[in-house]
Amino acid sequence: MAETTGNTEASQAGEADSRPRKSSWRYIGPGIVVAATGVGAGDLVATLIAGSNFGYTLLWAAIIGCLVKISLAEAAGRWHLSTGRTLFDGWASLGRWTTWFFAVYVVIWGFVYGAAAMSSSALPLQALFPNVMDLEWWAIACGLVGLVFVWFNKYAVFEKVMTVLVGVMFVVTVYLAIRVTPNLADAFAGLLPVLPDEKDSILNTLGLIGGVGGTITLAAYGYWVNAKGWTDTGWMKVMRLDNRVAYATTGIFVISMLFVGAELLHSANIAIASGDKGLVQLGGILEDEYGTATAKFFLIGFFATSFTSLIGVWHGVSLMFADFVTRYRGRAQLKGEEVASGERERSWPFRAYLLWLTFPPMVLLFQGQPFRLIIIYGVLGAAFLPFLAGTLIWLLNSSRTPSQWRNGPLSNAMLAIAGLLFLVLCVKQIWDQPWAEFF
């Protein structure tokens, strides 16, 4: 296989050339995609609130969150490259229970997430153009644009657009971090692992660590690696560099927003709302402090953050769903080469899930989110990352993985820490649900 990128070149006939490629910046791509998709408006708000409440105290926790996610994404990519099989194929080899979990999760999660992603993308547009149309119609427009873009474009174009939007996110967040003039001495002190002296500080800290950059998009990383044209162990060094770039980028986004929260909100004792509306509120605060131009600039970055998450999920999770349907229809083994060829992106399950993410959730934009469904969505979402960490430990320590690419002590330790962290957060999420009102 030639050293090319994009899924059209990856389908060349002949045996795969698994000779190691030199780790090079010119190959970087899937990492940018996973960073852009994983860091949504909710992540930025959570980091802003952490900075607002605790100043720089939890800077270390945000960095650990990036390291934890590096280990998960690297493990997913390593499975795809070392075995030539997709992650869902690995899950299916562990038993039918994985198929049932994924099927229920991806249907309910997609229905609720579709509405949330469209609303999140619409909020900054409505703030930028307040008299054009209502929020619901902006949301529908964002969903339709995302649908058309992913439907008619293959991975190579998708990656280029994501890279441009990440560039916008990067410039905006770094500009804001510099604009608020961070206290570097306090920031360096925040690298020491200290817990805030408040109630539930441990759980709040774990929540910040677990909330940095991505949930199901971590599992989609291996699919984007294949879609790029990387299908064998010759790309392992390139994938690892790409993955580090992904979470270095994520770290810059998160640390920049924590600086903004610490300097702009914490020092002035200003509280903002949780959720996407907190970023709209921040836009107003920035306008009061630094003028209209800075506020508009921030809203453009807010839109880039939200819309990359939308189209990233539209593409990545649809790839996973197409893989799930192919396996369910009786295929014995699912190969990464099929993803690299672009076959999945042209399949009817890929496009059917695109439609599922776009049209049924529009009902929620007008009617509100059904209470019981939101509880189930929260529980399934909380359970996914413990599921991912646990199954990766299982797959990468078994004979399913070639011996030289199985987990070492460090990988096992990082995945075990990730699994334990997300299990604690899962239990807390389940415990906090209003079950008495559910029945």
Side-chain angles (χ1 to χ4, degrees):
M1 186 176 72
E3 287 187 38
T4 54
T5 58
N7 51 25
T8 55
E9 294 91 342
S11 60
Q12 295 174 357
E15 292 186 7
D17 178 4
S18 59
R19 290 173 297 176
R21 273 76 173 179
K22 183 179 179 182
S23 186
S24 173
W25 292 94
R26 67 192 178 98
Y27 293 128
I28 298 303
I32 297 296
V33 172
V34 78
T37 306
V39 179
D43 299 287
L44 297 187
V45 172
T47 311
L48 272 171
I49 291 175
S52 174
N53 291 340
F54 309 119
Y56 294 102
T57 305
L58 292 180
L59 179 59
W60 64 272
I63 293 173
I64 287 179
C66 291
L67 295 176
V68 167
K69 299 295 178 64
I70 283 175
S71 66
L72 285 165
E74 188 276 339
R78 179 154 43 94
W79 166 264
H80 278 250
L81 296 183
S82 65
T83 65
R85 299 160 62 190
T86 65
L87 183 56
F88 188 82
D89 194 54
W91 284 341
S93 73
L94 301 179
R96 293 183 65 85
W97 65 276
T98 59
T99 301
W100 287 110
F101 174 82
F102 180 80
V104 174
Y105 172 82
V106 81
V107 170
I108 294 177
W109 181 88
F111 181 56
V112 179
Y113 181 83
M118 288 187 277
S119 293
S120 181
S121 298
L123 278 168
L125 292 177
Q126 189 187 42
L128 283 166
F129 310 103
N131 299 316
V132 175
M133 55 184 169
D134 293 337
L135 180 67
E136 292 83 1
W137 296 107
W138 276 118
I140 288 172
C142 289
L144 292 175
V145 170
L147 170 70
V148 171
F149 172 73
V150 175
W151 189 292
F152 290 105
N153 289 294
K154 297 300 182 282
Y155 175 81
V157 176
F158 165 71
E159 182 190 286
K160 287 181 173 64
V161 171
M162 292 288 273
T163 301
V164 171
L165 292 173
V166 166
V168 174
M169 293 167 60
F170 185 90
V171 171
V172 170
T173 55
V174 171
Y175 166 76
L176 289 178
I178 295 171
R179 192 76 170 82
V180 299
T181 317
N183 186 320
L184 295 182
D186 287 349
F188 280 114
L191 297 174
L192 296 174
V194 176
L195 292 174
D197 186 19
E198 294 194 12
K199 183 182 177 182
D200 293 332
S201 61
I202 293 178
L203 288 174
N204 289 333
T205 302
L206 292 178
L208 179 61
I209 293 172
V212 176
T215 50
I216 195 172
T217 54
L218 292 166
Y221 177 65
Y223 288 85
W224 286 321
V225 163
N226 287 160
K228 180 75 169 175
W230 307 346
T231 58
D232 55 62
T233 56
W235 295 100
M236 196 70 75
K237 286 185 179 180
V238 177
M239 182 275 291
R240 284 170 167 161
L241 173 63
D242 180 77
N243 184 42
R244 294 185 192 110
V245 169
Y247 283 94
T249 306
T250 299
I252 290 170
F253 293 151
V254 169
I255 291 169
S256 296
M257 295 311 290
L258 191 139
F259 281 8
V260 173
E263 293 295 339
L264 186 63
L265 306 179
H266 181 71
S267 58
N269 198 27
I270 299 173
I272 63 171
S274 60
D276 299 339
K277 292 183 179 178
L279 289 184
V280 176
Q281 190 178 348
L282 177 63
I285 296 169
L286 288 169
E287 184 170 8
D288 293 340
E289 286 286 329
Y290 304 114
T292 302
T294 296
K296 299 290 187 186
F297 189 50
F298 165 73
L299 289 172
I300 293 170
F302 176 9
F303 172 74
T305 300
S306 298
F307 195 65
T308 51
S309 293
L310 187 153
I311 60 175
V313 166
W314 264 228
H315 187 274
V317 184
S318 296
L319 275 178
M320 296 182 69
F321 183 78
D323 212 38
F324 156 72
V325 172
T326 303
R327 178 76 190 207
Y328 183 77
R329 294 173 70 190
R331 285 285 298 278
Q333 199 172 70
L334 305 174
K335 297 286 191 178
E337 283 89 348
E338 295 168 355
V339 180
S341 71
E343 177 183 326
R344 293 282 186 271
E345 292 162 287
R346 295 189 295 269
S347 66
W348 71 261
F350 179 91
R351 290 175 170 172
Y353 194 72
L354 275 178
L355 297 173
W356 175 254
L357 282 167
T358 306
F359 289 105
M362 290 179 182
V363 176
L364 302 183
L365 297 174
F366 293 95
Q367 296 186 356
Q369 298 180 345
F371 175 72
R372 288 180 175 83
L373 186 62
I374 295 304
I375 291 180
I376 297 171
Y377 166 81
V379 170
L380 288 171
F384 184 81
L385 283 177
F387 166 80
L388 177 61
T391 53
L392 284 172
I393 290 174
W394 190 347
L395 290 169
L396 293 169
N397 284 286
S398 72
S399 59
R400 297 172 179 85
T401 304
S403 57
Q404 72 180 105
W405 301 112
R406 292 176 195 165
N407 278 356
L410 180 60
S411 295
N412 276 326
M414 290 299 293
L415 289 176
I417 290 169
L420 181 61
L421 164 68
F422 295 123
L423 183 61
V424 170
L425 293 174
C426 176
V427 171
K428 181 180 184 297
Q429 178 82 355
I430 293 171
W431 182 266
D432 289 344
Q433 297 294 337
W435 293 107
E437 301 173 30
F438 183 86
F439 299 101

